Amino acid sequence: LRGDAFFTTTDYNVFLQDNWRASERLTLNFGLRYEYQQLPQPGEAEVRGIVLQGNPAYPQTLQFNQDTNNWGPRAGLTYDVFGDHRTIVRGGYGLYFGRTSNSFLFSALTNNAVTFATYTFNPTSPGAPTYPNVLEAPPATAGARPNVQYLSPDLERPAIHMVDAGIERQVADDITVSASYLF
């Protein structure tokens, strides 16, 4: 079932990991993740059956950059401090990527002065309607331009570096105490 606005983002993700037991007490983990969020392009989205095209007067609205270089390394370790499996130190690092939100994409697809045209005026601006009146047509006064939203031609998804460190201690057969640090 589709709503009034419809477009598709497709995510592709691949993850490889290897665990290496360096000694009886130390295990290392290494991984690499690839993340790609395929953004919809103007012309591929619609509202109530009307295709959302870009605006040729604003070339930045005609195509969205596809961020394809999101490789995130991962590394981790587990260390049995005394060799008795009761005190364990763990640590890890990873580079992660955030998604471009659909509300952000919808604004770029629709606020292009074709689908929606928004003009900003002060009460003293030439051509400004008097409150509570609204514009009946786009303003023809010099300098009146619509507010246009578009994605940067070099848009990159946000990168997030994450580090964790922790220690666990088994104090009884069914009780473990732990402390963790996340950054």
Side-chain angles (χ1 to χ4, degrees):
L1 190 63
R2 292 183 1 187
D4 287 345
F6 181 79
F7 58 88
T8 301
T9 58
T10 304
D11 290 67
Y12 299 92
N13 301 285
V14 176
F15 182 73
L16 302 169
Q17 179 175 316
D18 190 22
N19 299 327
W20 178 50
R21 190 164 190 165
S23 72
E24 282 295 315
R25 294 166 48 180
L26 176 65
T27 301
L28 301 173
N29 315 99
F30 301 100
L32 183 63
R33 182 177 177 92
Y34 176 72
E35 300 179 13
Y36 170 56
Q37 179 187 7
Q38 184 178 13
L39 304 180
Q41 295 298 312
E44 298 174 354
E46 61 183 57
V47 172
R48 294 186 180 172
I50 299 170
V51 176
L52 302 174
Q53 301 291 345
N55 185 342
Y58 300 94
Q60 304 93 326
T61 68
L62 297 175
Q63 183 175 358
F64 297 159
N65 181 52
Q66 299 291 343
D67 183 12
T68 59
N69 62 348
N70 296 320
W71 293 93
R74 310 285 198 275
L77 66 89
T78 303
Y79 183 65
D80 184 352
V81 177
F82 302 110
D84 61 1
H85 307 294
R86 295 175 56 87
T87 304
I88 307 294
V89 173
R90 299 179 197 280
Y93 164 80
L95 176 61
Y96 300 83
F97 297 91
R99 295 187 80 251
T100 303
S101 74
N102 284 351
S103 62
F104 189 69
L105 294 170
F106 185 73
S107 292
L109 287 164
T110 58
N111 295 330
N112 58 18
V114 171
T115 307
F116 296 119
T118 305
Y119 296 86
T120 304
F121 295 100
N122 293 322
T124 58
S125 298
T130 55
Y131 182 80
N133 296 330
V134 296
L135 293 172
E136 294 181 10
T141 57
R145 294 183 297 179
N147 300 328
V148 175
Q149 293 182 3
Y150 57 89
L151 302 181
S152 173
D154 58 354
L155 175 71
E156 295 278 331
R157 290 172 51 203
I160 303 146
H161 296 270
M162 294 181 67
V163 176
D164 70 272
I167 185 166
E168 298 177 6
R169 174 69 181 169
Q170 182 181 9
V171 294
D173 286 342
D174 58 353
I175 298 174
T176 302
V177 177
S178 67
S180 297
Y181 173 77
L182 301 174
F183 175 77

